[in-house]
Amino acid sequence: MSLDLAVPWNSTAPAWTKLADSPSQRLFPATFSSDEQTLYVFHIPGSTSPWYYSVKDDVWHELWPVRFQDTNWEGFGAVTDPRTGLVYIAGGYDNANYNANYMRGLDIFDPITLSIHMESLPAPDTLFPMRWYYANVWSKARNSVVYWGGINKKVNMPFSSVENGVTALFTDTWSWYTLDGTKVAVYGGRLRNGTTIGEIWILDLVTLTWAQGQSGPPRMYAACAIAGDQLLIWGGSAEQTVLAPSDMLIYNLKTSSYVQQYTPPPGYKDLKPPPPLTRTTALWATQSPTSSTNAGSGTTNGGSTDSGSAPSGSNAAIVGGVVGGLSLMGAFAGVLNLWSNSENSNRSGSS
C-alpha cells in the first residue's frame, strides 16, 4: 500500500493506493533507494536474496545476483544513506564471503554495484547494545543512522531488554556515538510484562530530557512517519493477537493533541524525487570505512560482484509490517518511510 501525503484526507479514510502484492513475509527489514523509485525488501522466506519493488512499474522482482548466507532471522532493520545509496542492516544476514559471528556484523548492501560488505558492530555492552527488534531511521540533520531500543543476547545468556538508549552511526567517519543532537518521537510498544501501550514520548538528545505527549490507543508493530508537525501512526497490533483498526492516528506535535484531518505541509505538492545515483564501483572498493569509537573493522571483501546495474529506488509515505517505530522531528523533507523493530524493550515503541 502507498499513502499520499501531498493531499488532505480524513483519518477514517486515508488516501491509500493498493499496489502489487509482495512475497509473503513478516518482521522484515526494508528500505527505499536514494532516488525514491525502488523498495528493497530483505528476509523473504525461501530466498537468500533481497527482493525489490519498482514504483514506476508496480512490479516485484528477486535481486538474484545478491546472496546473503542466512536471512531467517527476524528483528533487523534496513536504512538507506541517501547520499551514497548504501543500505545498512545492523545485526546483518552474515555475508557468505565473510562468515561473521552471529548477530555481530553490520551488512552494507550497495544496490548500484549489487555487492555486500561486512563491518563488525561494537560489543553489546558498549555503544551498540541493540541486536533484535530495534528501531532505526536515517537522520538527514546529522547524516547518521539512529538506533533505539530492542533486545540483545550475550553469549550463553538469556535475552535481555535494552533500556532507553539511543545510538548513532556516523557513516562518513564510521564512528558510533550515544547521542545525535536532534529529537526522536516514540509511540506505543510493549512493556516487559507484555502490556501494549499507546504512550507518546519525545526525546531531546541535546538536553537529554524526555517529554510525554498525550497517550493514544495501544499499538505495537505499527508503522509511523512525521509529515510537518503531524505524527502519523498506522497498523500494527492493538494487543498480542488483535490487529489494530484501519483508521490512521494523526497526532499534532505542536498542540499535543489527536486530530481527524491530515493537512499536507506546504510545498509537498511540488516535491520531486532525487535523481538516481551513478557509480561503477562499490564505495568500499577504494575507501573502506575507518573504525573508531569502539567499532570494529571488517573486511573489504564484497558479496556478489555482479556489475549489472541495480534498479533505482523510492520512498513511500508509510510502510507497515514491523514492531514499533522511530522518527526524527524536522529532519526530513518530502515523503518519509519508516521501519522499526523494538520488542520487549523497557518501552519499545514507534515514532
Side-chain angles (χ1 to χ4, degrees), residues 74-90:
E74 296 178 345
F76 297 147
V79 173
T80 299
D81 182 339
R83 305 163 307 161
T84 63
L86 297 180
V87 175
Y88 295 86
I89 306 176

Side-chain angles (χ1 to χ4, degrees), residues 85-293:
L86 297 180
V87 175
Y88 295 86
I89 306 176
Y93 283 125
D94 193 3
N95 180 7
N97 290 335
Y98 184 52
N99 296 319
N101 292 332
Y102 167 56
M103 294 178 67
R104 294 297 302 275
L106 175 73
D107 281 332
I108 309 174
F109 165 57
D110 186 351
I112 295 179
T113 61
L114 298 182
S115 55
I116 306 169
H117 177 70
M118 171 68 74
E119 286 286 332
S120 296
L121 288 171
D125 295 327
T126 56
L127 292 177
F128 190 75
M130 305 77 165
R131 283 301 180 267
W132 281 354
Y133 303 103
Y134 53 80
N136 58 185
V137 69
W138 176 260
S139 168
K140 182 178 179 180
R142 287 290 181 260
N143 290 326
S144 62
V145 184
V146 178
Y147 299 92
W148 181 83
I151 58 177
N152 62 14
K153 180 177 175 61
K154 301 176 184 178
V155 178
N156 299 323
M157 295 287 289
F159 289 102
S160 60
S161 299
V162 175
E163 303 299 335
N164 295 321
V166 178
T167 303
L169 167 61
F170 290 82
T171 58
D172 286 345
T173 58
W174 200 250
S175 302
W176 294 85
Y177 296 94
T178 54
L179 301 177
D180 190 35
T182 185
K183 293 182 179 180
V184 179
V186 180
Y187 182 88
R190 186 169 64 182
L191 301 179
R192 289 176 178 173
N193 62 8
T195 302
T196 304
I197 60 174
E199 296 178 0
I200 289 181
W201 289 85
I202 299 171
L203 172 63
D204 188 320
L205 295 178
V206 177
T207 62
L208 294 181
T209 57
W210 287 92
Q212 185 173 10
Q214 181 180 342
S215 296
R219 293 286 175 92
M220 62 179 177
Y221 298 95
C224 306
I226 290 178
D229 296 319
Q230 300 157 107
L231 173 63
L232 310 176
I233 304 115
W234 177 79
S237 299
E239 52 187 272
Q240 184 63 27
T241 59
V242 180
L243 291 178
S246 60
D247 291 359
M248 181 76 64
L249 298 177
I250 309 172
Y251 185 76
N252 188 303
L253 293 164
K254 273 193 172 180
T255 63
S256 298
S257 61
Y258 292 90
V259 297
Q260 297 296 313
Q261 185 67 29
Y262 168 77
T263 304
Y268 265 34
K269 67 179 186 303
D270 298 322
L271 289 174
K272 298 289 190 296
L277 295 173
T278 56
R279 277 190 284 107
T280 57
T281 60
L283 293 179
W284 50 79
T286 56
Q287 183 177 3
S288 180
T290 301
S291 63
S292 62
T293 321

Side-chain angles (χ1 to χ4, degrees), residues 21-25 44-45 51 60:
D21 289 340
S22 70
S24 299
Q25 73 278 8
I44 302 296
W51 283 63
W60 287 86

